Amino acid sequence: MTNAVRKISEENTPVNDLLAEHGMSRDEYETLLKFLGREPTKAEFGVTAAMWSEHCSYKSTRMHLKKLPTKGDCVICGPGENAGVIDIGDGQAAIFKMESHNHPSYIEPYQGAATGVGGILRDVFTMGARPIANLNALRFGAPDHPKTKSLVAGVVAGIGGYGNCVGIPTVGGETNFHASYNGNCLVNAMTVGVADKDKIFYSAAAGVGNPVVYVGSKTGRDGIKGATMSSGEFNEDSSSKRPTVQVGDPFVEKLVMEACLELMATDAIIAIQDMGAAGLTSSAVEMASKGGLGIDIDLDKVPLREPGMTAYEIMLSESQERMLMVLKPGREEEAKKIFHKWELDFSVIGRLTDTGRLVCTRHGKTEIDMMIGPLVEQSPVYDRPWEPTPKLPDIAASAYPLPEGQTALGILQKLVVTPDLCSRRWIWEQYDSLVRANTAQGPGGDAAVVRIDGSNKALAMTVDCTPRYCAADPIEGGKQAVAETWRNICAVGARPLAITDNMNFGNPEKPRIMGQFVGAVEGIRAACLALDYPVISGNCSLYNETNGSAILPAPAIGGVGLMPDVSKAVGIAFRSEGETLLVIGETKGHIGQSLYLREIHGREEGAPPPVDLDAERKHGDFIRSQIDARAIDACHDVADGGLLVALAEMVMASGIGCDIAQTGDAGFWFGEDQGRYVIATKDPEAVLERAKAAGIPTARLGATGGAEIKLSGTGSVAVAALKSGHEKWLPDYMS
């Protein structure tokens, strides 16, 4: 190693302190020493710690994630790139992914959430796509916890502030509250984009001697060790980690996006990579590794925001709005003009080599000189011990009847004002869901529908997970998360094509937690195979624990589907009075892990509802066929809260009441049996006949009309009164 700077031992930094600070084990350090053949410099140590962190290497999850189905007729590019790519016909592709920014959002809610949005946007436009929509999945602690309100306020403001400024509509998502998230909120961000199928950009570097170019914002000290911070548990000192949270600028993000897309319209780019987790380190190493090449970087040429930055700081900074690209030789000036036009930094910082090494110099000294292959190929993979989650007993609905003296409608009024079932309008009204003028259906329904520019087709998209199911039975919970996105997309009339996942779990070094992960993967795999619904991208967020207390597992699923004719899309709101209401699918009255059981009886127990994947597919296909035939005017999947809550949500969305002739017990009205939809139709006989021919259980519920929900034999409740309570809870709480 030429002109080497001081090694760790010469800097008087105890190795054990560095290991603890960076979350690296002693065994991992010994592996590093073996492949280096010497002691590392601090910069080499930092690069290795970042690349081998859980956040970057997936060392606890890789062997299990390989079980997921990632291929399908529509799949152009599966996991392994910045985002996944699917074919949507007409020479076009949809590109999408979901990622977490959990730890940063707990430490600094506004910037943590904002930079989560910025990072996932870059993952998508790095592939050559123009983003058309953002979604999110948020989980907060108990409403009475002293930190919850400030986290909600900061996270929502951060998502809205960033997405609105960049000019990408935020069209959907979900928000839950539970005490398990008191010390560790979850912020999962998803972006969907559209590109020409023959103009997809990848990250594998190619061409010895080709220029390596840095573009975007300058590099500062924000976000240093962000990847390693996100790979560890929290404790009472978590607030001290604030410097590891990145600071975003959405206006610069907009400039970077437009400049990149403009350059992509030429043929100057060979490879491109977002500087995300671990910043320049991960982007340089991943690009060179995928291309089987080496890379030399002159760190003196990296645009810096702060004086005196060391090689360690430059390589590990997670400053936002930065990209790394490999250009064709001789195209530097052309690219430079584009980025300078957009008032962005542009610098040729290095060259590709045939050495297979990462070599970085600073002030004329070699700070990093290490083989890239071992850095990637020898990254640890752990087969963590795991324990299956014990099966819980089914709970008979008869064991938890309606409380004495209370009616189903009275219970409904209580449920719609609970934190998990109240209106999210306060949240989504802070997001611009209409910018770009292509949003056909925005927040508040089953799935968002966004028209594709210059066509009559649209993409439907949604995010779903039910953590209480996943905690009770990770396999069924994993199935259900996938199946609910399938239902939500079918419910608007679109054909589900593929999913992205965001696996949020606790400490994988605990066999019980690792068992939750393994079970969830098993359930997701089963559902994806049964529904022909592959996984094309994703993210893992582990160590979501504070002082040893883990979150409820949340394998969030983002689904995307195709709607050939956007004019056929339906929503959850009734369109007119006098239509017949039907429920598609069988109601058995499963109340284990239901919100009825939790909110009314104060119990979180029992097995979650089982998921019949064959029925899910059959019912979804039937619903889509009837929407395509324009036989359905409104549709809503039955989920949290059960059948009566689904009806109430349709009523509140439209302002039109309903008269329900069915009678039933608590299980009938509030059981959370899967695979069901409520539909409104003007031609019930035809729909019933087709359902019978297809072997699909269907029952009449009643009809739309009036200004009340009337329930046979139990009275009525005014739509306005129901909606008032439903809409008030969150604004009142946040005020």
Side-chain angles (χ1 to χ4, degrees), residues 212 294-298 349-353 355 357-360:
V212 177
I295 185 168
D296 287 356
I297 297 176
D298 183 351
I349 65 169
R351 300 278 168 182
L352 297 179
T353 70
T355 65
R357 304 185 76 83
L358 172 66
V359 179
C360 301

Side-chain angles (χ1 to χ4, degrees), residues 436-573:
R436 298 182 56 82
N438 282 324
T439 305
Q441 289 190 36
D446 283 328
V449 180
V450 181
R451 188 177 64 85
I452 297 171
D453 269 339
S455 75
N456 195 42
K457 68 184 181 184
L459 293 178
M461 54 199 77
T462 186
V463 179
D464 279 295
C465 181
T466 310
R468 62 186 186 277
Y469 293 175
C470 298
D473 186 333
I475 298 173
E476 289 302 313
K479 288 181 190 174
Q480 191 273 341
V482 175
E484 189 168 357
T485 68
W486 166 274
R487 285 198 303 275
N488 284 343
I489 291 170
C490 290
V492 299
R495 180 167 67 91
L497 292 179
I499 69 167
T500 181
D501 61 44
N502 204 144
M503 309 290 280
N504 306 277
F505 290 80
N507 185 344
E509 297 167 48
K510 298 177 180 178
R512 180 180 63 85
I513 301 297
M514 196 65 215
Q516 292 176 341
F517 184 90
V518 173
V521 168
E522 181 181 335
I524 292 169
R525 170 184 164 82
C528 289
L529 289 172
L531 300 173
D532 191 18
Y533 196 31
V535 182
I536 65 161
S537 60
N539 171 253
C540 288
S541 174
L542 305 183
Y543 295 95
N544 288 290
E545 300 199 7
T546 299
N547 295 325
S549 180
I551 62 164
L552 289 185
I557 304 295
V560 172
L562 179 65
M563 181 144 239
D565 183 353
V566 69
S567 71
K568 291 184 177 181
V570 302
I572 70 171

Side-chain angles (χ1 to χ4, degrees), residues 79 216 229 271 467:
M229 178 272 290

Side-chain angles (χ1 to χ4, degrees), residues 624-689:
R624 291 200 316 278
S625 72
Q626 299 311 295
I627 292 174
D628 187 60
R630 299 191 189 274
I632 293 175
D633 284 342
C635 182
H636 191 12
D637 87 307
V638 180
D640 284 347
L643 183 56
L644 193 53
V645 168
L647 279 165
E649 288 169 344
M650 299 176 85
V651 162
M652 291 186 288
S654 62
I656 299 172
C658 62
D659 192 342
I660 304 301
Q662 282 276 8
T663 59
D665 60 6
F668 180 82
W669 292 121
F670 304 112
E672 296 180 5
D673 305 275
Q674 300 295 291
R676 295 183 296 162
Y677 304 78
V678 174
I679 65 170
T681 177
K682 293 186 181 75
D683 192 1
E685 301 309 324
V687 174
L688 285 165
E689 186 177 330

Side-chain angles (χ1 to χ4, degrees), residues 145-175:
H145 188 271
K147 194 157 183 171
T148 299
K149 191 181 295 188
S150 64
L151 287 171
V152 173
V155 165
V156 171
I159 291 170
Y162 206 98
N164 296 352
C165 291
V166 177
I168 307 300
T170 300
V171 297
E174 61 172 351
T175 305

Side-chain angles (χ1 to χ4, degrees), residues 8-238:
I8 290 174
S9 60
E10 296 167 346
E11 293 190 10
N12 297 317
T13 305
V15 171
N16 286 340
D17 290 354
L18 280 174
L19 293 176
E21 184 182 345
H22 291 78
M24 182 186 280
S25 71
R26 172 60 69 170
D27 286 345
E28 290 167 356
Y29 182 63
E30 293 297 328
T31 300
L32 169 60
L33 292 176
K34 284 178 185 175
F35 92 71
L36 269 182
R38 56 174 170 77
E39 190 180 319
T41 67
K42 185 175 180 182
E44 289 171 336
F45 181 92
V47 163
T48 307
M51 291 304 299
W52 290 1
S53 69
E54 189 72 61
H55 191 77
C56 291
S57 74
Y58 287 24
K59 57 191 174 187
S60 299
T61 60
R62 248 186 300 171
M63 62 178 294
H64 299 288
L65 293 172
K66 289 178 180 178
K67 303 170 188 174
L68 295 173
T70 58
K71 293 182 168 61
D73 292 342
C74 70
V75 178
I76 295 172
C77 175
E81 276 292 339
N82 288 291
V85 187
I86 57 173
D87 190 334
I88 57 172
D90 305 311
Q92 293 179 310
I95 299 178
F96 62 95
K97 187 181 181 182
M98 180 162 50
E99 281 203 340
S100 59
H101 234 219
N102 301 337
H103 285 47
S105 297
Y106 184 81
I107 296 168
E108 213 300 302
Y110 185 96
Q111 289 296 345
T115 52
V117 173
I120 197 64
L121 280 167
R122 289 193 299 281
D123 280 342
V124 168
F125 72 71
T126 298
M127 301 286 293
R130 178 169 289 279
I132 65 168
N134 290 329
L135 302 93
N136 53 73
L138 313 177
R139 309 195 197 278
F140 299 105
D144 60 0
H145 188 271
K147 194 157 183 171
T148 299
K149 191 181 295 188
S150 64
L151 287 171
V152 173
V155 165
V156 171
I159 291 170
Y162 206 98
N164 296 352
C165 291
V166 177
I168 307 300
T170 300
V171 297
E174 61 172 351
T175 305
N176 297 137
F177 296 86
H178 191 277
S180 74
Y181 305 108
N182 282 349
N184 202 124
C185 63
L186 301 186
V187 176
N188 298 168
M190 176 176 170
T191 293
V192 181
V194 173
D196 291 337
K197 194 168 69 170
D198 61 352
K199 291 183 180 177
I200 308 299
F201 289 80
Y202 298 100
S203 59
V208 173
N210 282 344
V212 177
V213 176
Y214 173 117
V215 300
S217 287
K218 288 180 169 59
T219 294
R221 289 188 170 94
D222 53 319
I224 293 172
K225 293 189 298 211
T228 51
M229 178 272 290
S230 295
S231 304
E233 290 186 29
F234 275 170
N235 56 37
E236 58 275 0
D237 298 323
S238 296

